[in-house]
Amino acid sequence: MPVKAPGSGHHALAVHEVVLLLETDTHRGLSASEAAGRRERFGPNVLPTAARGSVLRRLLRQFQNPLVYVLLVAGLVTLLLREYVDAAVILGVVVVNAVIGFLQESKAEAALDALRTMVRTEARVVRDGRPRRVPSDDVVPGDLVLVEAGDKVPADLRLARADEVRVDESTLTGESQPVRKDEVVVADETPVADRSNVLYSGTLVTGGSAAGLAVATGAETELGRIHRLVGSAQVLDTPLTTKLARFSRVLTVVILLLAGVTFAVGVLRGERAGETFTAAVALAVGAIPEGLPAAVTITLAIGVARMARQQAVIRRLPAVETLGSTTVICTDKTGTLTENQMTVRAVWTLAGRHSVSGSGYAAAGEIRDPDGGIARTGQDGALRWSLLAGVACNDARLDERDDRCVVLGDPTEVAMLVAGAKVGLRAAEVAAELPRVAAIPFTSERQFMATLHDTRDGERVVLVKGAVERVVEWCAEALDEEGRTVPLDRRAVLAAAGELAGEGLRVLATAMARVGGGAGLAEEDLPGNLAFTGLHAMLDPPRAAVADAIAACRRAGIAVKMITGDHRTTASAIAVRLGLLDAEPGPGAVLSGTDLAELPDAERPAAVDRASVFARVSPEQKLRLVEALQADGQVVAMTGDGVNDAPALRQANIGVAMGRSGTEVAKEAADIVLTDDDFTTIEAAVEEGRGVFANLTKFITWTLPTNTGEGLVVLVAIVLGTALPILPSQILWINMTTAVLLGLTLAFEPKEAGVMERPPRDPAQPLLTGALVARVLLVAALLVAGAWWLFEWELGSGAELPEARTAAVNLFVTVQAFYLLSCRSLTRSPWRLGLFSNRWLLAGVLLQALGQAALTYLPVMNTLFRTAPIGADTWLRIVAVAVAVSAVVAVHKRFGRRLG
């Protein structure tokens, strides 16, 4: 009978049924030949890798932009008209823009590759009755796999035997505490996070040992199922690309209409069709903002560079701006808002509550007594023995290597090791002082762990830690601060434990007993013979400054929602500490996965909008939450580090993964990877994104009046049947030099004060608001009027046609330079920003002035662009017009409608 791996119900089958279904053996495993045959049939135990596409495909993707399409058409038409210089300039802009985007994407991918772990993992399997090590990708369905503390689970395993095994499933389910596993059958409808007889691929064994049958490998594992879910998530356009596409379509229609009107008017006036068509193309070339695609790319690239300095790898250029458009941040809890490192925050003894500072697995920190002084373990018998119990009655290991902490074991036990180290009780030294003789391991049934140790005086001591109720029940006495035994007040201890638990802390009790030399360790000897020493209260602490970052996001009008696989109580306690929830949250503020599943479809959007914490949710529910928010018109940023976060990261408008603790699946699904795993970087990214969008808006507001004015000048000349005030080659000179030397300096404009005090932009709001459109049309009209006035004035004063055209060209550029200063802020006076706050702008204006001098006075430039030298009086008239335009814009800015 051909072997077939069981489906989703293997957790509901008895071990012998799984053995029959997989045609394997729980003692001898598979034969080597059978394993080889199954590998051939089922394939390697790896997840399918996403294809990045060829270099050519990634390069061509840079051209997928409506404005680029317009430029390509304009360049080809210009080429057909044999205007080779003009065509080369236009097509050169397109190529440079594509190269910049391609290089940035390649650089981001290279940075991401550097984050990937290159270590090849191995698995221990039993084949032909003998244990052996094989590469993890050689594990096949039916293999008998052996795991112990420190091992990464190589496939989905149905447990056949389990010895006190504990597994960290945080990357898969979001559960921050290690879960205990056994081989007992569970109901078929049991959720993934509660299937206690299955070890899932990619999770980490933190304690105990086990043997399990591989029931799913590669893409068929739970990890693989989530991987497929990531692939099914829709990749959405960013707000910037959407707005630019809409803006480009409107601009294209307007340009084509103006060009059509120009051609029609010229033909109706009896002009030759060829010349009229050339004029229409000149209008189109003049109206197209050739520098916009490059400005968008470079502005985003500058934002990317700034973010890189803040430990964020931007994988796709528009992503940096998308965060500036974000209206909702959905964030995972474990490892994102918290350290994912359990930390003792308080130790309670009969003397009172001792506070413990520091965070995570670093030994930096101290313990202070109830009066606020530095705790001295030599002066406090109860505190010393409580911390000794936490360190010696402990199976975890904590090593410091190259400024990193390498841990092995249950995070709760690691937290107790660190607490002891803060007062000098390091595990190695304690083990030398109190050698372990025997131990009773922790089980869920016992709810305690006990160890027996030799002491230097020849006696022995029993140390115990465990659940408060169990340990306190077995204590008849307690140690005071002098180390003396006194009667135990159980009510006081239980009240203190309840108070600590009410703060969202996990509480364990410690106890000890002195026994004679040569005494053994038996569970039945413990009840009634222990002395209570203290309580250890711990939690997975919030990351430093996360609460401030969340508050800043809320001030910026961004809703923050915590989505986690943790239990409701744990999630709520952290949310209160972070300021996401009030101490007494209102109804509907916290929803569980079960609550979401039971909500009618009609009520779900309102419930999702109202809630701030979503607890015990599955990867599918995370994905649906993001979809529900997007359906309500929200721009959603999703942060996370686990496999369970990947589908939602992919679906979100902007996915943000953690670089250090994040899984490869999460990084591949994200748009941004935080190399420092710090949620506070999100706030900086949002601020940077808003600054990027503001600078892009400034550039567009600055460049469109010139393009519009150039097009209208050509149109008016055709309608009036007069000579063109500006030639097509001169139009290209204006567009390209000013875009590079003047316009792009706005990309370096510092963020304006208060950018994080404004509400997010409405996703439906166009790229340019009505007020900005009015500003553009106003400046364009002033440019046309000023250029025609100066052109006619120069001709009327006896100037030659090249001189008059040179005056008009210089007027366009000078007005642009003055208007550039105004566009540094769309709402405030530029003088309030500080003249030297953007030195790039000053350098750009100086270089543009030198370029205009060369265009006007160098003979070679006169020949190429048909210009001629002009006098000082003409320059005075040019400056007068520029000052007048600036004055009108200042009045419009101050008294016009407030800009969006």
Side-chain angles (χ1 to χ4, degrees):
M1 181 180 71
V3 68
K4 181 182 178 183
S8 60
H10 54 261
H11 55 278
L13 301 175
V15 174
H16 70 274
E17 294 178 288
V18 178
V19 169
L20 291 173
L21 195 59
L22 289 172
E23 297 182 359
T24 187
D25 188 282
T26 56
H27 297 287
R28 293 188 56 81
L30 299 173
S31 66
S33 59
E34 177 65 17
R38 294 190 183 190
R39 192 184 192 283
E40 185 70 23
R41 294 166 58 188
F42 292 103
N45 178 33
V46 294
L47 294 177
T49 56
R52 290 185 183 177
S54 65
V55 172
L56 179 60
R57 184 183 296 272
R58 284 188 287 142
L59 182 61
L60 291 177
R61 190 165 59 235
Q62 310 304 320
F63 293 91
Q64 296 174 2
N65 181 297
L67 270 178
V68 173
Y69 299 153
V70 175
L71 285 174
L72 285 173
V73 172
L76 291 175
V77 171
T78 308
L79 186 63
L80 292 174
L81 294 173
R82 298 185 179 181
E83 298 288 345
Y84 299 118
V85 175
D86 297 352
V89 171
I90 296 173
L91 296 176
V93 169
V94 175
V95 171
V96 169
N97 174 65
V99 169
I100 291 173
F102 173 79
L103 291 177
Q104 173 56 39
E105 282 194 15
S106 300
K107 183 179 179 181
E109 291 298 337
L112 196 64
D113 287 338
L115 294 172
R116 291 190 173 93
T117 303
M118 302 303 294
V119 178
R120 188 183 186 191
T121 60
E122 291 186 334
R124 286 194 307 145
V125 300
V126 177
R127 290 182 182 166
D128 295 316
R130 297 192 303 273
R132 64 178 64 180
R133 287 192 174 274
V134 300
S136 294
D137 53 9
D138 283 346
V139 175
V140 298
D143 257 329
L144 179 62
V145 181
L146 307 178
V147 294
E148 60 185 12
D151 288 344
K152 192 173 184 178
V153 180
D156 285 0
L157 309 179
R158 170 63 168 88
L159 287 177
R161 299 184 296 277
D163 182 13
E164 306 299 333
V165 67
R166 299 184 298 277
V167 182
D168 179 359
E169 295 184 338
S170 61
T171 61
L172 183 70
T173 66
E175 171 63 63
S176 61
Q177 295 294 323
V179 293
R180 299 188 178 278
K181 299 285 186 173
D182 54 45
E183 61 270 34
V184 179
V185 174
V186 296
D188 190 42
E189 63 274 11
T190 305
V192 169
D194 297 322
R195 295 175 187 170
S196 58
N197 59 7
V198 179
L199 304 186
Y200 289 105
S201 175
T203 59
L204 182 68
V205 179
T206 62
S209 60
L213 298 172
V215 294
T217 59
E220 300 305 314
T221 62
E222 185 66 20
L223 187 64
R225 187 186 66 80
I226 296 176
H227 190 273
R228 292 194 299 274
L229 196 62
V230 172
S232 68
Q234 182 183 4
V235 180
L236 302 178
D237 287 334
T238 69
L240 177 63
T241 56
T242 301
K243 292 177 189 296
L244 281 175
R246 187 184 304 124
F247 172 74
S248 300
R249 287 194 295 269
V250 172
L251 188 61
T252 302
V253 171
V254 171
I255 290 171
L256 293 177
L257 285 175
L258 283 175
V261 169
T262 301
F263 181 76
V265 170
V267 171
L268 291 176
R269 289 184 56 84
E271 303 287 346
R272 287 191 301 176
E275 294 180 357
T276 304
F277 185 74
T278 301
V281 170
L283 182 147
V285 171
I288 294 173
E290 288 92 347
L292 182 56
V296 171
T297 301
I298 292 172
T299 302
L300 291 175
I302 291 170
V304 166
R306 289 174 177 171
M307 286 308 303
R309 290 194 291 270
Q310 300 186 50
Q311 309 303 315
V313 176
I314 310 298
R315 299 187 63 200
R316 285 174 279 274
L317 275 178
V320 69
E321 182 278 333
T322 305
L323 273 171
S325 307
T326 298
T327 58
V328 178
I329 296 177
C330 295
T331 175
D332 179 50
K333 178 187 78 69
T334 306
T336 304
L337 294 177
T338 65
E339 298 278 4
N340 200 15
Q341 297 180 353
M342 290 294 288
T343 304
V344 175
R345 304 306 292 267
V347 178
W348 188 90
T349 67
L350 295 187
R353 178 170 177 167
H354 301 72
S355 62
V356 184
S357 63
S359 183
Y361 295 156
E366 57 191 15
I367 300 179
R368 292 187 173 271
D369 60 34
D371 296 326
I374 300 295
R376 304 295 181 186
T377 55
Q379 301 172 1
D380 187 340
L383 178 61
R384 175 178 173 78
W385 280 108
S386 183
L387 292 171
L388 278 172
V391 174
C393 184
N394 195 315
D395 289 331
R397 294 205 303 271
L398 176 65
D399 299 323
E400 295 184 11
R401 304 176 189 169
D402 300 326
D403 297 326
R404 294 186 303 113
C405 290
V406 180
V407 301
L408 178 63
D410 189 294
T412 298
E413 291 193 318
V414 176
M416 300 179 88
L417 286 181
V418 174
K422 291 177 179 178
V423 292
L425 298 176
R426 298 189 177 274
E429 298 170 3
V430 170
E433 180 183 347
L434 298 173
R436 183 186 294 190
V437 178
I440 300 175
F442 184 96
T443 67
S444 55
E445 293 77 22
R446 292 192 186 102
Q447 295 186 318
F448 77 93
M449 176 181 179
T451 52
L452 179 66
H453 303 265
D454 284 329
T455 65
R456 290 176 177 175
D457 58 8
E459 299 296 310
R460 286 184 170 177
V461 63
V462 175
L463 299 176
V464 177
K465 75 172 188 302
V468 174
E469 293 78 6
R470 173 56 56 90
V471 174
V472 171
E473 178 186 357
W474 286 357
C475 292
E477 300 174 316
L479 287 187
D480 65 10
E481 57 185 326
E482 301 297 331
R484 297 169 301 196
T485 56
V486 296
L488 174 65
D489 184 348
R490 287 190 174 86
R491 289 186 177 181
V493 174
L494 295 176
E499 182 179 341
L500 293 167
E503 298 176 19
L505 301 170
R506 184 183 184 191
V507 185
L508 295 180
T510 58
M512 59 87 66
R514 293 183 175 89
V515 295
L521 179 64
E523 182 174 344
E524 57 269 20
D525 294 335
L526 298 180
N529 294 319
L530 297 177
F532 170 81
T533 54
L535 301 173
H536 286 230
M538 63 195 75
L539 85 165
D540 179 12
R543 289 181 177 274
V546 164
D548 291 338
I550 290 174
C553 288
R554 286 186 158 183
R555 287 194 301 272
I558 301 171
V560 180
K561 298 179 183 293
M562 185 170 78
I563 304 178
T564 177
D566 244 333
H567 290 282
R568 182 193 295 259
T569 303
T570 305
S572 298
I574 291 293
V576 170
R577 290 175 179 271
L578 293 173
L580 281 173
L581 288 179
D582 296 329
E584 299 292 335
V590 182
L591 293 177
S592 67
T594 304
D595 297 332
L596 288 170
E598 295 174 352
L599 278 173
D601 290 342
E603 298 179 15
R604 187 172 292 114
V608 168
D609 182 65
R610 183 168 56 250
S612 296
V613 176
F614 300 90
R616 212 64 178 165
V617 295
S618 67
E620 291 94 337
Q621 287 176 321
K622 289 187 178 186
L623 178 61
R624 305 299 168 236
L625 282 170
V626 173
E627 290 176 336
L629 290 166
Q630 289 172 333
D632 193 37
Q634 304 289 350
V635 177
V636 182
M638 173 74 191
T639 74
D641 62 348
V643 174
N644 57 320
D645 300 317
L649 287 172
R650 177 81 168 179
Q651 175 66 35
N653 300 88
I654 183 76
V656 184
M658 303 295 121
R660 291 181 180 175
S661 62
T663 60
E664 293 306 317
V665 177
K667 294 174 194 173
E668 288 292 343
D671 301 287
I672 296 177
V673 178
L674 305 183
T675 59
D676 60 356
D677 286 14
D678 195 342
F679 175 85
T680 58
T681 305
I682 299 297
E683 178 203 351
V686 170
E687 185 175 6
E688 191 63 48
R690 291 188 173 190
V692 165
F693 188 87
N695 287 347
L696 284 174
T697 304
K698 292 171 185 176
F699 177 87
I700 294 171
T701 304
W702 170 81
T703 192
L704 283 187
T706 302
N707 297 111
T708 306
E710 289 166 344
L712 290 177
V713 163
V714 174
L715 178 60
V716 171
I718 294 296
V719 170
L720 297 179
T722 63
L724 292 176
I726 305 178
L727 296 174
S729 60
Q730 295 169 346
I731 289 174
L732 277 173
W733 166 269
I734 295 172
N735 288 354
M736 297 314 302
T737 60
T738 58
V740 173
L741 298 178
L742 298 182
L744 288 183
T745 63
L746 290 172
F748 297 93
E749 193 65 32
K751 295 181 291 290
E752 293 187 53
V755 69
M756 288 296 285
E757 305 299 327
R758 307 169 188 166
R761 296 186 308 277
D762 184 349
Q765 181 178 296
L767 195 60
L768 293 182
T769 63
L772 287 179
V773 171
R775 171 91 55 85
V776 167
L777 295 177
L778 172 64
V779 177
L782 293 173
L783 266 173
V784 173
W788 269 102
W789 170 79
L790 184 61
F791 180 70
E792 294 295 338
W793 177 282
E794 296 300 316
L795 289 177
S797 301
E800 297 293 331
L801 185 59
E803 293 175 319
R805 284 173 171 164
T806 304
V809 169
N810 281 303
L811 182 133
F812 263 89
V813 173
T814 305
V815 169
Q816 278 189 285
F818 275 72
Y819 183 46
L820 180 71
L821 297 174
S822 174
C823 287
R824 292 186 62 198
S825 173
L826 298 179
T827 56
R828 304 164 61 199
S829 167
W831 306 111
R832 297 177 61 185
L833 303 178
L835 184 61
F836 297 100
S837 59
N838 185 351
R839 297 180 184 275
W840 288 98
L841 185 142
L842 298 177
V845 170
L846 177 61
L847 289 174
Q848 185 68 56
L850 294 175
Q852 291 308 116
L855 179 76
T856 305
Y857 298 108
L858 287 182
V860 64
M861 299 294 282
N862 296 156
T863 301
L864 286 174
F865 292 95
R866 304 178 202 174
T867 56
I870 57 176
D873 56 334
T874 303
W875 282 110
L876 288 175
R877 286 188 288 272
I878 289 172
V879 173
V881 172
V883 170
V885 171
S886 296
V888 173
V889 170
V891 172
H892 180 269
K893 183 186 292 187
R894 182 167 185 176
F895 298 106
R897 187 160 61 91
R898 290 186 60 85
L899 303 176

